[in-house]
Amino acid sequence: MKLTLRIAFLALLGFFCSMNTPAITINNYLDATGFPVLVPSPRNLKRTTMAFSLPIELSVAAPAELSDTAVFLLTKALDERFPGRRAYQGQNAQCVLELTEDGVPASEQGYSLTVKADGIRIRSRAPQGLFYGLQTLCNLIVKTQSNALPGCEIQDEPGLPWRGFHLDVSSMSNATVPDFCKIFDTLGSLKMNVVQLAFGTNLPLKDSPFTLQKDPLTQESIDLIKAAAARNFVTIIPQLQLLTHARWLTTHPEFYQKISNKKSYKRLWDSSICPYKPLAMELSKYTLAETIRIFQPKYLHICYDEFFLCHLAECDFCEGGHDPVELAKFARMFVDLTRSYGVEPIIYQDSMHPDRASNDSTWKPLLEAMPRDIALDFWDYDVVPRLDHYKYFQNHGFQNIYGVSFTSKLLNTRSLPLMIYDNGGKGIMLTYWGWVWSHFTKYASIDPDGAAGTTVTAEYGWNPDNRLPLTQLRWDPAFELHCRMGFGHPDRTDRRKYAEIAIQDLCNIQLGNDRNFPKLNAQVRDAMVAEAKLSAEKYNLSPVGKDGLAAVVLTGLEGKDGYSTDAVTIPVGTSAKGVSLLVMGGSPGNVTLFDYNHHYAKPLVCVMQVNYEDGLTIQEEIKYKVHFNEWNADSSAMLSRFVVRLPDAKNRQSSLMAYDWDNPHPEKAIKSLTLTPKGESTVAFALLAAVAVDPKDGYTPRTVEVPKKLFRAESLHTLENIYQESSSVLDLSQGMPQNCKVIFEGKMDGKPAYQVNPATKELEIQMPPVIEKRSRLCVDVTVPKGTPCETILVAFNNSLPEACKHSGLYRGTAGFKSFDVDYDFHGILDNEPGHILLSHSLGMKHDGEGTETNPAELSVLRFSLWFENKEPLTVKICDIRVNAKCHSYSEPTSFWQ
């Protein structure tokens, strides 16, 4: 459940793949037919020709329990799209919300919506369904291109009954509660209906013994939260970590002596209570009862995850640790105690599954102790979730199963809801684990993947009929959340006027052959140019040479990466409501600095100074992951949006995104924009085009040309250079080396085999089809003890990339008594043959599992792949190299051209 394994080092790998994904212009307002983009998309939508002309004042009739809500939401939508318009309760209503059982979906969350020339009608069998139909109507209004609301007939209901997310709010204060409550309005607008909140000890507990807790939430704050959830039909599920992950108990002054099992953890998060310590059980039961008193919930999450991580087999109080059977007894005790209050408990599944737990003696008693009608949260963060794990619990009688996804694995937020839906699951829950800070109260606290994951979960949880891969969505998931929360720029559409700001003569780089940016050929370059012109802004990219693009590329690294550090001034010469810059970011030189919990996670890259004609100047800082993201990121940045997505010449997904700047002085003429590199960021910033938004009438941009000679960039930090600077630890020139061992695991239809091909000097490994579950290939290489290996490079090829479901790269001591591990350094995108996603790995030294690693004792490297192949495949390894420096690189390549 938690991010328990941090990345230890970088895996650099190589292989070529093929795909034919078309270029896609991204538009969050209109689809390819000109109809408003609705998120989540309706299950059944039929367009008609009978448009409804929105009046200045829209009369509304609704059931009493929804009348105020309907007027409020419709007025908000109307005023956002057509300032000054409003809705009101009136006779002969033009918009009618009706409760009925005739001609509506069977689900109480379902609705029908019709827009005709004579009015709008929303019908459902329950208020919640009317509410969701109302949200669709508001979405339709906000995104329509004129006051003639397009005619349509919608029959809609959710694929999964539960759709929500989990947040740790144990540090939330009363001051932030009003802002936090706004998230429920966002949840409602996305038709999400569950939120799981981990409060811990900051609740208004009666006679609280947690004396170290400062500024606990008041009952007034709790009432605000409950009211905000209720008006958006959101169910609150409190969460309380019992037995494992007992960090919330640290606010008691005697935690370390009388509550926790001190031998069970190195990190405080991995702490567990000793159930035989009286104070531990007393406080757990007390807090459970108080949480139920405060919320009166229908469900309460009591967790039970990662028993194996919290090492309950060890204890500073109980000799011999905690017997698994006794542990199961205590786990069942809390289940029964929760039910005694009339509340249904929810637990995680991972400690009950042999593939998740560390030993068989733990999971079996826990599995046997749990009632089969209990709600089970099935968390699986793999890009391709483990169906056999899910079926395992179904086959053991568990039916109330909910999927738990993780927003840092953005592809998982699509694949898991679909798997849950296809196999009769009840819902989906999104977790963030560090990708959201401050509880959604400000944009700077949300990681782009956190924003994108929220709307992706809403989309595929509501409409699992949508089977499009993420890279083929024609709307930007992160930008959609920004607009819903007021963080984005909700009016970059065909309704606006745009005029090019010419930058061609300022370009200093010919992109196309630079390893920090997409690889271009003539076909890819021309597709980028064409798609950019199809956007509402009509961005004008500048082709140069046979296959290049002209760009302004800046860096703050004092020229160490080969880019210019000079400031660039762009003449503008008009008043405008804003400026939109079409940009992309280079691949980070060292993503270690940008880990989610690091204070450099969103570094300053450059400063944009706006120079007005009257002498006024203002400055805007441009930061990585706030105003732009790297070119092959899964999500746009927090204050930017995807414009074009397409595969580059090496078939890696690439994106152009827009950073929209709103002018606080639209009446003033802008003389110029000056971009000045700042900071020491290892991310380069590339500007490819610019437009003025709603410029002064008659504005004509200057006519300029691309310089005849542009620097054709080749980054100094190329993979080849890193490769050449590294030392090989796998010598295949004389056949199979003694320091290499190939290991096979799993049932296969045939005998696996391997050999060194003397002609190519490659280790060729043949994997037969799998019979059940997964097979695993491990290649272990022993190295001299203490070999420096901060970066590990594996040059390999896989003949069936779509069959690879999981990857791992380890460095450890003899017998792997301790080791660091990097999981999922490559994954399969949407399970399409030959379509491979290479994620950015972190060059980060961090303990993984086992005991603390001692660099002086490191002596073995392991490269592993898990397969679910239905036909034979071949893996070829030509080299494994190590480097004493910490490098980061994202580009796949091949070392055996």
Side-chain angles (χ1 to χ4, degrees):
M1 185 65 205
K2 285 74 186 172
L3 193 62
T4 55
L5 298 177
R6 296 305 300 144
I7 296 172
F9 41 82
L10 174 67
L12 298 178
L13 46 138
F15 42 135
F16 283 116
C17 52
S18 62
M19 62 182 180
N20 295 300
T21 306
I24 295 175
T25 305
I26 308 298
N27 189 326
N28 282 59
Y29 299 94
L30 299 176
D31 65 18
T33 69
F35 193 82
V37 173
L38 302 177
V39 179
S41 57
R43 305 286 294 281
N44 297 285
L45 184 152
K46 178 183 177 182
R47 294 190 59 181
T48 66
T49 58
M50 298 179 290
F52 173 70
S53 296
L54 287 166
I56 301 297
E57 293 188 334
L58 178 68
S59 58
V60 180
E65 61 266 45
L66 276 176
S67 58
D68 290 343
T69 297
V71 169
F72 172 78
L73 290 176
L74 286 170
T75 297
K76 181 181 177 183
L78 286 166
D79 188 62
E80 180 178 335
R81 175 62 186 92
F82 308 101
R85 301 196 181 200
R86 72 179 186 96
Y88 70 99
Q89 299 178 42
Q91 300 297 320
N92 300 318
Q94 299 148 307
C95 178
V96 177
L97 280 68
E98 177 187 3
L99 288 171
T100 179
E101 295 185 359
D102 296 331
V104 296
S107 168
E108 290 191 352
Q109 299 182 46
Y111 65 92
S112 70
L113 167 64
T114 58
V115 177
K116 297 181 178 180
D118 59 353
I120 303 165
R121 184 174 293 271
I122 302 173
R123 304 166 73 240
S124 176
R125 62 183 63 243
Q128 188 174 8
L130 291 180
F131 176 78
Y132 291 146
L134 187 61
Q135 293 290 356
T136 299
L137 175 59
C138 290
N139 205 202
L140 197 64
I141 291 171
V142 168
K143 294 181 177 180
T144 188
Q145 292 299 287
S146 72
N147 64 353
L149 203 62
C152 61
E153 297 175 359
I154 294 175
Q155 289 281 325
D156 199 13
E157 61 183 327
L160 294 174
W162 278 23
R163 306 164 307 281
F165 61 66
H166 165 279
L167 282 176
D168 183 348
V169 293
S170 59
S171 62
M172 187 164 62
S173 66
N174 291 293
T176 61
V177 166
D179 283 337
F180 171 71
C181 286
K182 296 175 184 176
I183 192 60
F184 292 99
D185 297 329
T186 303
L187 282 174
S189 75
L190 291 170
K191 301 186 178 71
M192 298 176 83
N193 64 344
V194 180
V195 64
Q196 189 172 294
L197 301 177
F199 286 97
T201 61
N202 64 335
L203 293 173
L205 306 173
K206 188 184 299 180
D207 303 321
S208 175
F210 298 101
T211 57
L212 300 182
Q213 178 67 45
K214 297 180 180 179
D215 187 28
L217 298 176
T218 63
Q219 187 60 52
E220 290 76 13
S221 290
I222 297 298
D223 291 342
L224 283 175
I225 293 171
K226 292 167 69 174
R231 70 171 178 263
N232 287 284
F233 292 88
V234 173
T235 297
I236 294 176
I237 299 178
Q239 183 192 77
L240 190 63
Q241 292 275 1
L242 295 174
L243 296 179
T244 60
H245 296 310
R247 184 178 58 181
W248 61 276
L249 283 163
T250 56
T251 54
H252 193 284
E254 296 181 283
F255 172 75
Y256 292 96
Q257 290 77 34
K258 297 184 178 180
I259 300 171
S260 69
N261 170 20
K262 289 187 291 185
K263 280 191 176 181
S264 72
Y265 60 90
K266 296 189 186 75
R267 300 182 305 165
L268 191 57
W269 174 242
D270 298 331
S271 62
S272 60
I273 69 169
C274 171
Y276 287 100
K277 291 183 177 181
L279 184 58
M281 294 303 290
E282 177 187 339
L283 290 174
S284 297
K285 292 178 180 179
Y286 160 82
T287 308
L288 176 66
E290 279 293 280
T291 301
I292 292 172
R293 177 187 66 81
I294 292 167
F295 283 98
Q296 296 297 305
K298 183 177 180 180
Y299 298 93
L300 190 142
H301 209 303
I302 56 178
C303 300
Y304 295 167
D305 53 322
E306 299 181 329
F307 276 87
F308 49 92
L309 183 66
C310 294
H311 302 295
L312 285 161
E314 304 172 9
C315 186
D316 61 328
F317 184 74
C318 304
E319 185 176 352
H322 303 131
D323 180 84
V325 175
E326 292 179 330
L327 209 55
K329 177 186 71 174
F330 284 111
R332 180 59 188 258
M333 179 201 72
F334 279 119
V335 168
D336 293 341
L337 179 61
T338 304
R339 283 185 158 175
S340 72
Y341 291 105
V343 177
E344 278 300 306
I346 304 175
I347 62 172
Y348 290 125
Q349 100 290 357
D350 61 291
S351 294
M352 297 186 291
H353 197 288
D355 286 1
R356 290 289 191 190
S358 59
N359 58 76
D360 287 351
S361 63
T362 298
W363 65 269
K364 286 182 179 177
L366 285 171
L367 182 69
E368 294 166 358
M370 291 303 109
R372 292 310 187 254
D373 60 346
I374 196 170
L376 199 68
D377 259 2
F378 177 86
W379 64 273
D380 187 334
Y381 294 161
D382 285 355
V383 170
V384 180
R386 290 292 302 269
L387 180 58
D388 60 312
H389 279 195
Y390 181 88
K391 291 289 189 182
Y392 174 87
F393 288 100
Q394 275 193 334
N395 294 337
H396 277 79
F398 294 94
Q399 297 302 318
N400 297 319
I401 305 179
Y402 305 84
V404 180
S405 188
F406 185 20
T407 196
S408 79
K409 302 287 184 67
L410 196 56
L411 299 176
N412 179 260
T413 63
R414 170 192 177 269
S415 58
L416 189 60
L418 297 183
M419 189 196 80
I420 294 295
Y421 174 76
D422 289 342
N423 292 279
K426 305 300 183 182
I428 187 69
M429 190 73 63
L430 178 66
T431 59
Y432 297 97
W433 304 122
W435 269 251
V436 171
W437 309 266
S438 302
H439 323 117
F440 281 99
T441 56
K442 50 189 177 181
Y443 77 81
S445 69
I446 307 173
D447 184 89
D449 282 350
T454 304
T455 48
V456 168
T457 298
E459 169 65 21
Y460 293 102
W462 180 274
N463 185 7
D465 300 331
N466 177 9
R467 298 286 162 147
L468 281 177
L470 292 184
T471 54
Q472 293 181 28
L473 288 179
R474 294 187 175 272
W475 51 276
D476 181 340
F479 183 66
E480 186 68 25
L481 186 75
H482 305 165
C483 294
R484 302 290 179 113
M485 301 184 71
F487 296 154
H489 302 270
D491 198 14
R492 292 292 193 264
T493 68
D494 291 325
R495 301 192 293 259
R496 309 297 293 269
K497 294 187 303 180
Y498 303 97
E500 180 187 5
I501 299 173
I503 66 166
Q504 287 85 346
D505 61 336
L506 303 171
C507 293
N508 54 21
I509 293 288
Q510 178 181 334
L511 291 180
N513 199 39
D514 186 334
R515 297 190 179 280
N516 284 332
F517 288 95
K519 174 70 174 178
L520 302 180
N521 56 27
Q523 181 181 5
V524 172
R525 190 271 309 277
D526 292 347
M528 276 190 176
V529 172
E531 292 293 330
K533 285 184 178 179
L534 291 176
S535 65
E537 297 82 0
K538 306 294 188 294
Y539 294 108
N540 184 25
L541 299 182
S542 300
V544 56
K546 293 182 179 180
D547 55 6
L549 276 177
V552 179
V553 180
L554 304 174
T555 183
L557 281 181
E558 300 178 354
K560 293 179 181 177
D561 56 3
Y563 303 125
S564 172
T565 58
D566 296 333
V568 174
T569 298
I570 304 167
V572 178
T574 184
S575 58
K577 291 184 179 179
V579 170
S580 186
L581 306 179
L582 190 65
V583 302
M584 71 168 77
S587 300
N590 186 350
V591 257
T592 306
L593 296 177
F594 312 133
D595 189 19
Y596 75 97
N597 60 2
H598 199 285
H599 64 281
Y600 289 125
K602 296 173 180 176
L604 174 66
V605 176
C606 65
V607 171
M608 181 176 74
Q609 179 170 296
V610 182
N611 308 301
Y612 294 94
E613 294 283 3
D614 64 3
L616 176 68
T617 63
I618 60 175
Q619 291 188 345
E620 294 286 338
E621 292 185 337
I622 296 180
K623 294 185 175 183
Y624 170 57
K625 286 199 174 182
V626 176
H627 303 97
F628 72 100
N629 212 339
E630 64 257 33
W631 59 271
N632 63 345
D634 290 332
S635 63
S636 59
M638 290 308 303
L639 293 181
S640 69
R641 55 191 167 87
F642 284 143
V643 175
V644 176
R645 301 197 77 182
L646 78 171
D648 76 345
K650 288 195 174 182
N651 297 321
R652 301 161 300 177
Q653 198 59 224
S654 62
S655 305
L656 301 177
M657 60 199 74
Y659 160 48
D660 299 314
W661 173 77
D662 287 328
N663 186 5
H665 305 289
E667 75 286 354
K668 293 179 179 289
I670 301 173
K671 180 180 179 181
S672 61
L673 307 173
T674 300
L675 296 174
T676 305
K678 294 289 185 181
E680 297 180 354
S681 171
T682 60
V683 184
F685 174 80
L687 172 64
L688 295 100
V691 297
V693 180
D694 287 335
K696 185 177 180 180
D697 290 342
Y699 170 63
T700 303
R702 62 197 183 108
T703 302
V704 297
E705 295 181 356
V706 178
K708 292 183 178 179
K709 289 187 178 180
L710 283 177
F711 177 57
R712 190 169 173 85
E714 283 282 4
S715 172
L716 300 180
H717 300 291
T718 63
L719 186 53
E720 283 84 353
N721 288 344
I722 298 173
Y723 183 76
Q724 294 300 328
E725 294 169 359
S726 303
S727 302
S728 176
V729 293
L730 185 66
D731 183 4
L732 299 171
S733 61
Q734 304 298 320
M736 189 67 180
Q738 292 185 350
N739 71 328
C740 181
K741 182 179 181 182
V742 180
I743 302 169
F744 302 100
E745 298 175 358
K747 295 183 179 180
M748 289 168 271
D749 187 14
K751 188 176 181 180
Y754 63 90
Q755 65 174 1
V756 173
N757 186 321
T760 62
K761 296 182 173 55
E762 299 169 358
L763 175 58
E764 297 181 353
I765 304 168
Q766 309 297 327
M767 300 286 290
V770 66
I771 292 179
E772 63 179 41
K773 296 185 179 180
R774 293 196 260 189
S775 63
R776 187 187 187 200
L777 163 67
C778 296
V779 178
D780 287 2
V781 177
T782 56
V783 297
K785 188 178 292 186
T787 297
C789 47
E790 290 304 311
T791 297
I792 299 178
L793 301 95
V794 181
F796 76 101
N797 179 275
N798 168 23
S799 64
L800 286 178
E802 72 276 12
C804 181
K805 302 304 182 185
H806 193 43
S807 55
L809 190 55
Y810 307 72
R811 65 175 187 182
T813 60
F816 289 103
K817 294 180 180 178
S818 67
F819 58 90
D820 296 329
V821 59
D822 177 3
Y823 286 139
D824 288 324
F825 55 84
H826 101 277
I828 307 306
L829 182 60
D830 299 308
N831 206 25
E832 292 182 358
H835 191 167
I836 299 169
L837 170 74
L838 299 180
S839 61
H840 289 267
S841 297
L842 305 181
M844 182 178 179
K845 189 175 180 181
H846 198 290
D847 294 336
E849 295 176 343
T851 57
E852 183 175 356
T853 56
N854 180 354
E857 297 295 319
L858 294 175
S859 60
V860 60
L861 310 176
R862 168 171 288 180
F863 168 59
S864 64
L865 297 171
W866 284 257
F867 292 106
E868 290 182 5
N869 53 307
K870 303 305 181 184
E871 56 185 282
L873 64 82
T874 302
V875 175
K876 298 179 181 180
I877 300 176
C878 77
D879 203 357
I880 297 178
R881 292 193 167 218
V882 297
N883 195 304
K885 296 180 181 179
C886 215
H887 289 288
S888 177
Y889 204 81
S890 65
E891 179 183 4
T893 187
S894 176
F895 293 118
W896 53 90
Q897 300 272 334

